[in-house]
Amino acid sequence: MNNLVQKLIDRGILNEKKQKEIEYDIKKTGKSPEEIIIEKGIIPEDVMFRAKSEILKIPLKKVSPEDIPLETLELIPEEPTANYKMIPLARKGNIMEIGMVYPENIPAQDALRFLSRQGKFKYEVFLITLEDFNKLLKQHKNLKSEANKVLTELEKTKKGITERPKEKVGTIETISEEAPIIKMVFAILRHALEASASDVHIEPGRDKLKIRFRVDGVLYPTLFLPLSVYPSITARIKILANLKIDENRIPQDGRFSTKIDDKDLDFRVATYPTLNGEKVAIRILDPTEGLKSYDALGLRGKNLEKIKEAIKKPYGMILATGPTGSGKTTTLYALMRLLNNESVNIVTIEDPIEYSIAGVNQSQINPEIGYTFAQGLRQILRQDPNIIMVGEVRDEETANLVTHAALTGHVVLSTLHTNSAVGVIPRLIDMGVRSFLIPYTLRAAISQRLVRMLCPYCKKKVVPSDKIKEYILSRIKTMPPAVKKEVKIGETIYIFQPKGCEKCNFKGYTGRIGLFEVLPMSDELSELILKSPTEGAILKLAQKQGMLTMEQEGIFKILAGETTFEEVARVTEEK
């Protein structure tokens, strides 16, 4: 143990002061020198392991989880793999390549010799870094591994079913209640939660069933299963969501709640008939994640000031815009939490109710029985509300009803599908709202997109390329003068890039944050709406009055190390 530290000192990589610090932490925590050195960032991991490779005269091998099949990783059971930090990397005939973090560890060597006798293989040892080992171990324990075990169990169960007397053979519904299928569905949901996924997509293909998770707005293929388990998995989810099991010709919607790892979660289920069978989409709704502060949303500075000013008004509309999944409803919930107190009556009509808020009267539409947004709005106005939240303005009737509600002394919060804040006004006019009513009813339009946030534990500070530097400087140049003064850059511009570590699942990103445009109503804008309410003219006036575009706001978040140039460019170029 201390031999490694001493030899690192002899090579001038460590000094004696650090040696005492390392030895103290080893006694205190029981961790290895390698773990202490990495955690404290005393020397880079690759430098330490290169030196260790030379000291032990064992070749250092750089490995990637994508290059090693799960079948290879499973050649050594999970327990000795985790205990002795050794893992199979490849098998060539009767010789297995073994990656070890601590090849000098005698118990690990003994365990490897025992396993080789049991498995009747010879082995060749390579040194691997602790980071690479952790990546491989995570793959060893991943959803695919768990699914394979469940599939084996399911085959045994199915065999038992077919061996029963004919009159007792199970249907798809009874098979879906068998333990293996229950385990499979639960495993999929648990792994989705561990991956911080917002959605799970279960998609039947021609020859296999594909499971994908949406993490931080991006879909990742996670698991492929044989089509034979597809009917049972779909039936199990339908049972949980109280949907019709025998109906697969039309889309269905439902929801269910369960507890995973001591967390109460809601799941919104939507089925959709496709060429190869029903596709199932499951939205994961975590009440602790959905109700966020303004700062966590990324709503700060002058944009936040403008919104707070707008909601102080006793009546009027505040509309949030953006594509599906851009966080509009989450923003409206944040506004409702600010407005929510015992002296006001807040009533909502939503599709669906995503998060329950104490003190707010929330209602969900049901088009099957004629309970639409428009129908609900008429009833809401009889409930003596002060504040109304409408999930979405979808049609001309709803647009005119929310305008009327705002005109008659109510604060109205709602969402609208447009590409930008300035597009709200032409869109309302296009939906039949008379232009002269808009200045009296619209208080603010908010447009937003979500970008992935850099992992705070592993992001690295770099000098940007000439292309990125030019992009940043050109956007700063077009900012309103008052805002431009707030940009803090020195002679050298620094930005941050993703690296990847265990805390962010080696993606370099963790969570998402909003980019916002906020367009408040003003006297000049009111006059323009009555004369020539085109998007171009509104944008020119808005920028003159100090509005930041989402792209310009993204510059602040790039320079603050919250996100990357690539993320800002990705979402703003979609506009």
Side-chain angles (χ1 to χ4, degrees):
M1 176 180 69
N2 287 323
N3 285 343
L4 173 64
V5 176
Q6 186 58 54
K7 286 180 180 177
L8 290 173
I9 290 169
D10 294 342
R11 288 166 176 258
I13 297 171
L14 281 178
N15 58 46
E16 291 185 2
K17 184 181 176 183
K18 291 293 182 185
Q19 178 189 16
K20 290 179 182 176
E21 185 182 327
I22 292 164
E23 289 179 348
Y24 171 78
D25 284 330
I26 290 169
K27 288 177 184 175
K28 185 180 176 183
T29 65
K31 293 180 178 178
S32 69
E34 289 90 337
E35 289 173 311
I36 300 295
I37 289 168
I38 292 165
E39 283 178 12
K40 289 186 165 289
I42 295 169
I43 57 173
E45 185 182 40
D46 58 335
V47 172
M48 178 180 64
F49 274 90
R50 277 200 302 270
K52 183 174 178 177
S53 171
E54 292 171 12
I55 292 164
L56 297 176
K57 295 184 171 48
I58 296 175
L60 176 67
K61 191 161 190 172
K62 186 68 183 168
V63 291
S64 174
E66 295 80 21
D67 300 331
I68 302 174
L70 185 63
E71 297 76 26
T72 301
L73 295 176
E74 290 178 336
L75 290 171
I76 292 180
E78 187 184 317
E79 189 176 346
T81 292
N83 285 345
Y84 299 109
K85 301 237 177 337
M86 60 182 182
I87 199 157
L89 305 177
R91 187 164 190 167
K92 297 173 182 175
N94 195 38
I95 298 174
M96 194 181 297
E97 293 182 359
I98 304 292
M100 299 182 76
V101 178
Y102 306 114
E104 72 279 16
N105 184 278
I106 292 170
Q109 292 171 8
D110 292 341
L112 182 55
R113 276 193 289 271
F114 173 78
L115 289 166
S116 69
R117 287 196 298 271
Q118 293 288 104
K120 297 178 182 177
F121 63 82
K122 295 179 181 179
Y123 59 86
E124 186 180 356
V125 172
F126 291 88
L127 183 67
I128 60 172
T129 65
L130 197 55
E131 182 181 354
D132 283 349
F133 172 79
N134 287 332
K135 289 180 187 177
L136 293 169
L137 182 63
K138 192 160 192 174
Q139 180 159 318
H140 198 304
K141 297 165 70 174
N142 72 4
L143 177 56
K144 187 175 179 182
S145 175
E146 198 168 337
N148 285 341
K149 291 172 187 170
V150 174
L151 285 172
T152 303
E153 194 178 336
L154 184 61
E155 286 303 313
K156 292 177 184 175
T157 305
K158 283 186 175 179
K159 189 178 178 183
I161 289 172
T162 55
E163 288 173 354
R164 294 176 198 168
K166 196 169 184 181
E167 65 274 11
K168 293 183 181 179
V169 172
T171 63
I172 288 296
E173 184 172 352
T174 58
I175 293 171
S176 72
E177 295 288 359
E178 297 284 348
I181 285 297
I182 293 172
K183 283 182 187 176
M184 178 76 80
V185 172
F186 184 78
I188 290 169
L189 296 179
R190 181 167 52 78
H191 279 272
L193 181 65
E194 288 172 359
S196 301
S198 60
D199 301 85
V200 177
H201 292 250
I202 300 171
E203 303 166 326
R206 291 184 179 225
D207 54 359
K208 58 191 170 187
L209 178 66
K210 180 164 66 174
I211 312 290
R212 293 195 289 171
F213 292 168
R214 187 179 294 280
V215 181
D216 295 335
V218 180
L219 271 173
Y220 296 96
T222 305
L223 180 66
F224 292 95
L225 295 171
L227 273 179
S228 58
V229 300
Y230 158 68
S232 304
I233 287 176
T234 307
R236 176 62 189 162
I237 293 167
K238 283 184 171 182
I239 289 168
L240 289 170
N242 200 26
L243 302 179
K244 295 177 183 175
I245 295 175
D246 57 348
E247 179 57 81
N248 53 22
R249 300 164 299 169
I250 59 171
Q252 296 186 73
D253 291 304
R255 63 192 298 153
F256 65 95
S257 301
T258 191
K259 182 174 278 192
I260 298 178
D261 296 338
D262 295 324
K263 232 179 182 184
D264 291 311
L265 298 163
D266 292 330
F267 297 88
R268 194 171 82 209
V269 177
T271 67
Y272 185 75
T274 69
L275 178 65
N276 298 306
E278 279 183 292
K279 177 186 182 301
V280 180
I282 304 172
R283 169 66 56 88
I284 301 171
L285 302 172
D286 184 349
T288 61
E289 293 293 325
L291 302 175
K292 296 184 176 179
S293 66
Y294 289 118
D295 190 65
L297 290 172
L299 196 50
R300 306 166 190 146
K302 295 200 179 301
N303 280 342
L304 182 56
E305 288 174 20
K306 290 173 185 175
I307 291 171
K308 284 185 173 179
E309 190 64 33
I311 60 176
K312 283 179 185 175
K313 305 280 172 73
Y315 66 92
M317 290 188 293
I318 297 174
L319 300 178
T321 78
T324 301
S326 60
K328 302 184 297 294
T329 304
T330 305
T331 299
L332 293 186
Y333 278 15
L335 294 178
M336 277 198 291
R337 287 178 73 193
L338 189 68
L339 294 166
N340 189 14
N341 61 64
E342 290 297 327
S343 65
V344 296
N345 178 22
I346 303 178
V347 186
T348 78
I349 179 164
E350 306 173 56
D351 182 26
I353 298 170
E354 293 197 2
Y355 303 100
S356 174
I357 305 177
V360 176
N361 303 288
Q362 297 172 266
S363 179
Q364 182 166 322
I365 69 165
N366 189 347
E368 290 180 10
I369 58 172
Y371 185 40
T372 61
F373 279 123
Q375 178 65 25
L377 261 170
R378 291 192 189 93
Q379 296 302 321
I380 279 178
L381 293 172
R382 297 169 189 165
Q383 290 294 318
D384 184 31
N386 301 100
I387 298 156
I388 300 167
M389 199 277 261
V390 181
E392 185 183 344
V393 177
R394 292 180 179 173
D395 51 45
E396 185 174 328
E397 185 179 11
T398 309
N400 279 291
L401 282 168
V402 295
T403 303
H404 174 74
L407 199 63
T408 52
H410 304 91
V411 173
V412 179
L413 309 175
S414 192
T415 69
L416 192 68
H417 280 285
T418 67
N419 289 328
S420 62
V422 297
V424 167
I425 293 162
R427 178 71 177 133
L428 287 173
I429 293 169
D430 186 54
M431 293 179 88
V433 178
R434 295 186 178 184
S435 58
F436 68 84
L437 292 175
I438 295 174
Y440 297 103
T441 53
L442 183 65
R443 290 290 166 257
I446 308 165
S447 187
Q448 64 186 87
R449 300 288 188 279
L450 293 177
V451 291
R452 290 184 293 171
M453 290 178 68
L454 283 163
C455 173
Y457 297 99
C458 66
K459 64 182 179 182
K460 55 182 180 180
K461 192 175 185 179
V462 297
V463 176
S465 65
D466 291 341
K467 179 186 174 184
I468 296 176
K469 183 178 178 181
E470 186 183 340
Y471 171 90
I472 291 170
L473 292 174
S474 65
R475 270 56 181 185
I476 292 172
K477 192 176 179 181
T478 59
M479 287 180 183
V483 179
K484 200 185 296 184
K485 293 174 186 175
E486 297 177 15
V487 181
K488 295 174 183 177
I489 53 172
E491 289 183 15
T492 304
I493 294 176
Y494 292 100
I495 62 171
F496 290 81
Q497 287 183 346
K499 182 184 175 186
C501 66
E502 195 172 345
K503 289 185 182 289
C504 62
N505 203 16
F506 303 98
K507 288 185 171 68
Y509 295 95
T510 176
R512 289 188 289 174
I513 197 168
L515 301 183
F516 294 88
E517 282 177 4
V518 179
L519 176 67
M521 188 55 65
S522 65
D523 293 340
E524 295 88 343
L525 184 55
S526 298
E527 290 177 17
L528 182 63
I529 291 169
L530 298 174
K531 293 177 183 175
S532 176
T534 63
E535 276 196 47
I538 296 168
L539 177 60
K540 191 174 178 181
L541 176 62
Q543 288 182 311
K544 185 181 174 184
Q545 293 182 338
M547 185 190 82
L548 275 180
T549 64
M550 279 182 274
E551 189 177 40
Q552 289 170 337
E553 209 222 351
I555 299 299
F556 282 93
K557 291 185 166 80
I558 291 171
L559 294 174
E562 293 180 287
T563 190
T564 61
F565 155 77
E566 289 79 12
E567 278 296 293
V568 172
R570 176 178 65 85
V571 300
T572 55
E573 283 172 5
E574 290 173 358
K575 286 176 59 182

mmCIF file of all heavy atoms in Angstrom, residues 325-356:
data_model
loop_
_atom_site.group_PDB
_atom_site.id
_atom_site.type_symbol
_atom_site.label_atom_id
_atom_site.label_comp_id
_atom_site.label_asym_id
_atom_site.label_seq_id
_atom_site.Cartn_x
_atom_site.Cartn_y
_atom_site.Cartn_z
ATOM 1 N N GLY A 325 -42.361 19.951 -23.971
ATOM 2 C CA GLY A 325 -41.205 19.514 -23.201
ATOM 3 C C GLY A 325 -40.191 20.599 -22.908
ATOM 4 O O GLY A 325 -39.079 20.317 -22.478
ATOM 5 N N SER A 326 -40.574 21.863 -23.104
ATOM 6 C CA SER A 326 -39.622 22.959 -22.848
ATOM 7 C C SER A 326 -39.772 23.561 -21.450
ATOM 8 O O SER A 326 -39.120 24.551 -21.134
ATOM 9 C CB SER A 326 -39.783 24.059 -23.911
ATOM 10 O OG SER A 326 -41.091 24.602 -23.886
ATOM 11 N N GLY A 327 -40.635 22.985 -20.623
ATOM 12 C CA GLY A 327 -40.738 23.429 -19.230
ATOM 13 C C GLY A 327 -41.749 24.534 -18.984
ATOM 14 O O GLY A 327 -41.710 25.187 -17.938
ATOM 15 N N LYS A 328 -42.694 24.732 -19.911
ATOM 16 C CA LYS A 328 -43.674 25.820 -19.764
ATOM 17 C C LYS A 328 -44.532 25.641 -18.506
ATOM 18 O O LYS A 328 -44.711 26.581 -17.729
ATOM 19 C CB LYS A 328 -44.593 25.881 -21.002
ATOM 20 C CG LYS A 328 -43.883 26.091 -22.314
ATOM 21 C CD LYS A 328 -44.857 26.245 -23.470
ATOM 22 C CE LYS A 328 -45.700 25.031 -23.739
ATOM 23 N NZ LYS A 328 -44.934 23.860 -24.220
ATOM 24 N N THR A 329 -45.052 24.420 -18.325
ATOM 25 C CA THR A 329 -45.929 24.162 -17.171
ATOM 26 C C THR A 329 -45.168 24.326 -15.866
ATOM 27 O O THR A 329 -45.705 24.856 -14.886
ATOM 28 C CB THR A 329 -46.536 22.749 -17.269
ATOM 29 O OG1 THR A 329 -47.224 22.626 -18.521
ATOM 30 C CG2 THR A 329 -47.504 22.488 -16.131
ATOM 31 N N THR A 330 -43.918 23.894 -15.830
ATOM 32 C CA THR A 330 -43.100 24.043 -14.621
ATOM 33 C C THR A 330 -42.933 25.517 -14.263
ATOM 34 O O THR A 330 -42.971 25.891 -13.090
ATOM 35 C CB THR A 330 -41.719 23.385 -14.831
ATOM 36 O OG1 THR A 330 -41.913 22.023 -15.220
ATOM 37 C CG2 THR A 330 -40.901 23.416 -13.555
ATOM 38 N N THR A 331 -42.765 26.362 -15.286
ATOM 39 C CA THR A 331 -42.651 27.812 -15.059
ATOM 40 C C THR A 331 -43.955 28.372 -14.489
ATOM 41 O O THR A 331 -43.939 29.177 -13.546
ATOM 42 C CB THR A 331 -42.282 28.537 -16.373
ATOM 43 O OG1 THR A 331 -41.019 28.042 -16.835
ATOM 44 C CG2 THR A 331 -42.188 30.036 -16.167
ATOM 45 N N LEU A 332 -45.082 27.923 -15.045
ATOM 46 C CA LEU A 332 -46.380 28.413 -14.543
ATOM 47 C C LEU A 332 -46.617 27.954 -13.103
ATOM 48 O O LEU A 332 -47.174 28.694 -12.293
ATOM 49 C CB LEU A 332 -47.521 27.919 -15.443
ATOM 50 C CG LEU A 332 -47.558 28.478 -16.876
ATOM 51 C CD1 LEU A 332 -48.828 28.015 -17.585
ATOM 52 C CD2 LEU A 332 -47.474 30.003 -16.900
ATOM 53 N N TYR A 333 -46.196 26.732 -12.774
ATOM 54 C CA TYR A 333 -46.328 26.252 -11.398
ATOM 55 C C TYR A 333 -45.499 27.114 -10.441
ATOM 56 O O TYR A 333 -45.919 27.389 -9.311
ATOM 57 C CB TYR A 333 -45.874 24.800 -11.301
ATOM 58 C CG TYR A 333 -46.914 23.776 -11.726
ATOM 59 C CD1 TYR A 333 -48.037 24.147 -12.445
ATOM 60 C CD2 TYR A 333 -46.769 22.432 -11.412
ATOM 61 C CE1 TYR A 333 -48.982 23.215 -12.837
ATOM 62 C CE2 TYR A 333 -47.721 21.489 -11.794
ATOM 63 C CZ TYR A 333 -48.826 21.894 -12.512
ATOM 64 O OH TYR A 333 -49.770 20.976 -12.891
ATOM 65 N N ALA A 334 -44.323 27.536 -10.883
ATOM 66 C CA ALA A 334 -43.483 28.415 -10.053
ATOM 67 C C ALA A 334 -44.192 29.744 -9.807
ATOM 68 O O ALA A 334 -44.137 30.296 -8.700
ATOM 69 C CB ALA A 334 -42.131 28.647 -10.722
ATOM 70 N N LEU A 335 -44.882 30.256 -10.837
ATOM 71 C CA LEU A 335 -45.639 31.513 -10.679
ATOM 72 C C LEU A 335 -46.803 31.313 -9.717
ATOM 73 O O LEU A 335 -47.084 32.176 -8.873
ATOM 74 C CB LEU A 335 -46.161 31.987 -12.043
ATOM 75 C CG LEU A 335 -45.120 32.424 -13.073
ATOM 76 C CD1 LEU A 335 -45.802 32.825 -14.373
ATOM 77 C CD2 LEU A 335 -44.288 33.587 -12.551
ATOM 78 N N MET A 336 -47.484 30.176 -9.835
ATOM 79 C CA MET A 336 -48.616 29.907 -8.935
ATOM 80 C C MET A 336 -48.175 29.805 -7.484
ATOM 81 O O MET A 336 -48.867 30.261 -6.579
ATOM 82 C CB MET A 336 -49.329 28.616 -9.356
ATOM 83 C CG MET A 336 -50.318 28.816 -10.479
ATOM 84 S SD MET A 336 -51.494 27.450 -10.601
ATOM 85 C CE MET A 336 -50.442 26.131 -11.164
ATOM 86 N N ARG A 337 -47.021 29.198 -7.263
ATOM 87 C CA ARG A 337 -46.517 29.096 -5.882
ATOM 88 C C ARG A 337 -46.250 30.473 -5.295
ATOM 89 O O ARG A 337 -46.455 30.708 -4.109
ATOM 90 C CB ARG A 337 -45.236 28.268 -5.866
ATOM 91 C CG ARG A 337 -45.463 26.782 -6.089
ATOM 92 C CD ARG A 337 -44.156 26.017 -6.120
ATOM 93 N NE ARG A 337 -43.574 25.896 -4.796
ATOM 94 C CZ ARG A 337 -42.327 25.502 -4.578
ATOM 95 N NH1 ARG A 337 -41.536 25.226 -5.576
ATOM 96 N NH2 ARG A 337 -41.868 25.394 -3.354
ATOM 97 N N LEU A 338 -45.803 31.405 -6.133
ATOM 98 C CA LEU A 338 -45.549 32.767 -5.667
ATOM 99 C C LEU A 338 -46.862 33.490 -5.348
ATOM 100 O O LEU A 338 -46.950 34.258 -4.389
ATOM 101 C CB LEU A 338 -44.776 33.548 -6.741
ATOM 102 C CG LEU A 338 -44.238 34.916 -6.340
ATOM 103 C CD1 LEU A 338 -43.128 34.793 -5.310
ATOM 104 C CD2 LEU A 338 -43.714 35.665 -7.560
ATOM 105 N N LEU A 339 -47.888 33.210 -6.154
ATOM 106 C CA LEU A 339 -49.177 33.882 -5.987
ATOM 107 C C LEU A 339 -50.064 33.226 -4.930
ATOM 108 O O LEU A 339 -51.021 33.824 -4.443
ATOM 109 C CB LEU A 339 -49.937 33.877 -7.329
ATOM 110 C CG LEU A 339 -49.315 34.698 -8.461
ATOM 111 C CD1 LEU A 339 -49.954 34.323 -9.795
ATOM 112 C CD2 LEU A 339 -49.488 36.188 -8.202
ATOM 113 N N ASN A 340 -49.752 31.987 -4.566
ATOM 114 C CA ASN A 340 -50.621 31.185 -3.711
ATOM 115 C C ASN A 340 -50.576 31.654 -2.248
ATOM 116 O O ASN A 340 -49.544 31.585 -1.591
ATOM 117 C CB ASN A 340 -50.190 29.719 -3.808
ATOM 118 C CG ASN A 340 -51.173 28.777 -3.123
ATOM 119 O OD1 ASN A 340 -52.292 29.161 -2.807
ATOM 120 N ND2 ASN A 340 -50.738 27.555 -2.898
ATOM 121 N N ASN A 341 -51.702 32.129 -1.750
ATOM 122 C CA ASN A 341 -51.843 32.446 -0.323
ATOM 123 C C ASN A 341 -53.317 32.359 0.055
ATOM 124 O O ASN A 341 -54.182 32.183 -0.812
ATOM 125 C CB ASN A 341 -51.247 33.823 0.016
ATOM 126 C CG ASN A 341 -51.927 34.956 -0.714
ATOM 127 O OD1 ASN A 341 -53.120 35.215 -0.501
ATOM 128 N ND2 ASN A 341 -51.198 35.625 -1.600
ATOM 129 N N GLU A 342 -53.599 32.478 1.338
ATOM 130 C CA GLU A 342 -54.958 32.259 1.835
ATOM 131 C C GLU A 342 -55.967 33.289 1.330
ATOM 132 O O GLU A 342 -57.171 33.052 1.374
ATOM 133 C CB GLU A 342 -54.957 32.258 3.368
ATOM 134 C CG GLU A 342 -54.291 31.054 3.999
ATOM 135 C CD GLU A 342 -55.000 29.749 3.676
ATOM 136 O OE1 GLU A 342 -56.239 29.769 3.538
ATOM 137 O OE2 GLU A 342 -54.323 28.721 3.550
ATOM 138 N N SER A 343 -55.493 34.421 0.837
ATOM 139 C CA SER A 343 -56.425 35.498 0.452
ATOM 140 C C SER A 343 -56.896 35.399 -1.001
ATOM 141 O O SER A 343 -57.704 36.215 -1.445
ATOM 142 C CB SER A 343 -55.754 36.864 0.670
ATOM 143 O OG SER A 343 -54.648 37.023 -0.196
ATOM 144 N N VAL A 344 -56.358 34.425 -1.760
ATOM 145 C CA VAL A 344 -56.764 34.305 -3.170
ATOM 146 C C VAL A 344 -57.294 32.908 -3.457
ATOM 147 O O VAL A 344 -56.940 31.937 -2.793
ATOM 148 C CB VAL A 344 -55.594 34.610 -4.142
ATOM 149 C CG1 VAL A 344 -55.141 36.045 -4.013
ATOM 150 C CG2 VAL A 344 -54.432 33.647 -3.950
ATOM 151 N N ASN A 345 -58.152 32.828 -4.471
ATOM 152 C CA ASN A 345 -58.706 31.556 -4.931
ATOM 153 C C ASN A 345 -58.073 31.227 -6.284
ATOM 154 O O ASN A 345 -58.321 31.911 -7.272
ATOM 155 C CB ASN A 345 -60.239 31.673 -5.060
ATOM 156 C CG ASN A 345 -60.861 30.392 -5.595
ATOM 157 O OD1 ASN A 345 -60.276 29.318 -5.498
ATOM 158 N ND2 ASN A 345 -62.044 30.517 -6.179
ATOM 159 N N ILE A 346 -57.233 30.207 -6.296
ATOM 160 C CA ILE A 346 -56.590 29.796 -7.542
ATOM 161 C C ILE A 346 -57.270 28.528 -8.043
ATOM 162 O O ILE A 346 -57.382 27.534 -7.325
ATOM 163 C CB ILE A 346 -55.083 29.508 -7.343
ATOM 164 C CG1 ILE A 346 -54.367 30.737 -6.767
ATOM 165 C CG2 ILE A 346 -54.434 29.089 -8.660
ATOM 166 C CD1 ILE A 346 -52.890 30.518 -6.490
ATOM 167 N N VAL A 347 -57.725 28.567 -9.289
ATOM 168 C CA VAL A 347 -58.400 27.421 -9.909
ATOM 169 C C VAL A 347 -57.687 27.099 -11.218
ATOM 170 O O VAL A 347 -57.380 27.997 -11.997
ATOM 171 C CB VAL A 347 -59.898 27.715 -10.171
ATOM 172 C CG1 VAL A 347 -60.600 26.466 -10.677
ATOM 173 C CG2 VAL A 347 -60.572 28.226 -8.917
ATOM 174 N N THR A 348 -57.421 25.814 -11.450
ATOM 175 C CA THR A 348 -56.741 25.423 -12.685
ATOM 176 C C THR A 348 -57.582 24.437 -13.477
ATOM 177 O O THR A 348 -58.439 23.734 -12.927
ATOM 178 C CB THR A 348 -55.372 24.756 -12.409
ATOM 179 O OG1 THR A 348 -55.568 23.397 -11.999
ATOM 180 C CG2 THR A 348 -54.585 25.492 -11.349
ATOM 181 N N ILE A 349 -57.314 24.402 -14.772
ATOM 182 C CA ILE A 349 -57.867 23.356 -15.635
ATOM 183 C C ILE A 349 -56.707 22.861 -16.486
ATOM 184 O O ILE A 349 -56.103 23.643 -17.228
ATOM 185 C CB ILE A 349 -59.068 23.855 -16.467
ATOM 186 C CG1 ILE A 349 -59.574 22.730 -17.361
ATOM 187 C CG2 ILE A 349 -58.749 25.102 -17.266
ATOM 188 C CD1 ILE A 349 -60.958 22.980 -17.917
ATOM 189 N N GLU A 350 -56.361 21.582 -16.334
ATOM 190 C CA GLU A 350 -55.122 21.065 -16.912
ATOM 191 C C GLU A 350 -55.345 19.768 -17.680
ATOM 192 O O GLU A 350 -56.349 19.096 -17.504
ATOM 193 C CB GLU A 350 -54.087 20.823 -15.791
ATOM 194 C CG GLU A 350 -53.833 22.043 -14.921
ATOM 195 C CD GLU A 350 -52.952 21.726 -13.724
ATOM 196 O OE1 GLU A 350 -51.833 21.216 -13.941
ATOM 197 O OE2 GLU A 350 -53.374 21.983 -12.588
ATOM 198 N N ASP A 351 -54.363 19.418 -18.492
ATOM 199 C CA ASP A 351 -54.402 18.165 -19.246
ATOM 200 C C ASP A 351 -52.979 17.644 -19.446
ATOM 201 O O ASP A 351 -52.314 17.996 -20.408
ATOM 202 C CB ASP A 351 -55.070 18.365 -20.604
ATOM 203 C CG ASP A 351 -55.153 17.055 -21.389
ATOM 204 O OD1 ASP A 351 -55.180 15.983 -20.747
ATOM 205 O OD2 ASP A 351 -55.175 17.113 -22.626
ATOM 206 N N PRO A 352 -52.487 16.800 -18.523
ATOM 207 C CA PRO A 352 -53.097 16.360 -17.267
ATOM 208 C C PRO A 352 -52.581 17.224 -16.116
ATOM 209 O O PRO A 352 -51.766 18.111 -16.327
ATOM 210 C CB PRO A 352 -52.562 14.938 -17.148
ATOM 211 C CG PRO A 352 -51.165 15.049 -17.695
ATOM 212 C CD PRO A 352 -51.238 16.069 -18.796
ATOM 213 N N ILE A 353 -53.047 16.901 -14.892
ATOM 214 C CA ILE A 353 -52.481 17.533 -13.699
ATOM 215 C C ILE A 353 -51.147 16.847 -13.437
ATOM 216 O O ILE A 353 -51.111 15.664 -13.114
ATOM 217 C CB ILE A 353 -53.418 17.370 -12.484
ATOM 218 C CG1 ILE A 353 -54.750 18.062 -12.755
ATOM 219 C CG2 ILE A 353 -52.773 17.909 -11.222
ATOM 220 C CD1 ILE A 353 -55.831 17.761 -11.740
ATOM 221 N N GLU A 354 -50.060 17.566 -13.596
ATOM 222 C CA GLU A 354 -48.741 16.941 -13.464
ATOM 223 C C GLU A 354 -48.265 16.898 -12.017
ATOM 224 O O GLU A 354 -47.668 15.918 -11.591
ATOM 225 C CB GLU A 354 -47.714 17.675 -14.344
ATOM 226 C CG GLU A 354 -48.013 17.505 -15.829
ATOM 227 C CD GLU A 354 -46.836 17.852 -16.704
ATOM 228 O OE1 GLU A 354 -45.770 18.186 -16.179
ATOM 229 O OE2 GLU A 354 -46.997 17.795 -17.935
ATOM 230 N N TYR A 355 -48.507 17.972 -11.264
ATOM 231 C CA TYR A 355 -48.051 18.023 -9.877
ATOM 232 C C TYR A 355 -49.138 18.650 -9.023
ATOM 233 O O TYR A 355 -49.757 19.637 -9.413
ATOM 234 C CB TYR A 355 -46.758 18.834 -9.753
ATOM 235 C CG TYR A 355 -45.645 18.320 -10.623
ATOM 236 C CD1 TYR A 355 -45.347 18.933 -11.832
ATOM 237 C CD2 TYR A 355 -44.914 17.201 -10.246
ATOM 238 C CE1 TYR A 355 -44.338 18.445 -12.650
ATOM 239 C CE2 TYR A 355 -43.908 16.701 -11.053
ATOM 240 C CZ TYR A 355 -43.624 17.334 -12.253
ATOM 241 O OH TYR A 355 -42.631 16.841 -13.062
ATOM 242 N N SER A 356 -49.351 18.075 -7.859
ATOM 243 C CA SER A 356 -50.360 18.591 -6.940
ATOM 244 C C SER A 356 -49.769 19.721 -6.098
ATOM 245 O O SER A 356 -48.668 19.585 -5.569
ATOM 246 C CB SER A 356 -50.849 17.451 -6.030
ATOM 247 O OG SER A 356 -51.718 17.948 -5.057
#
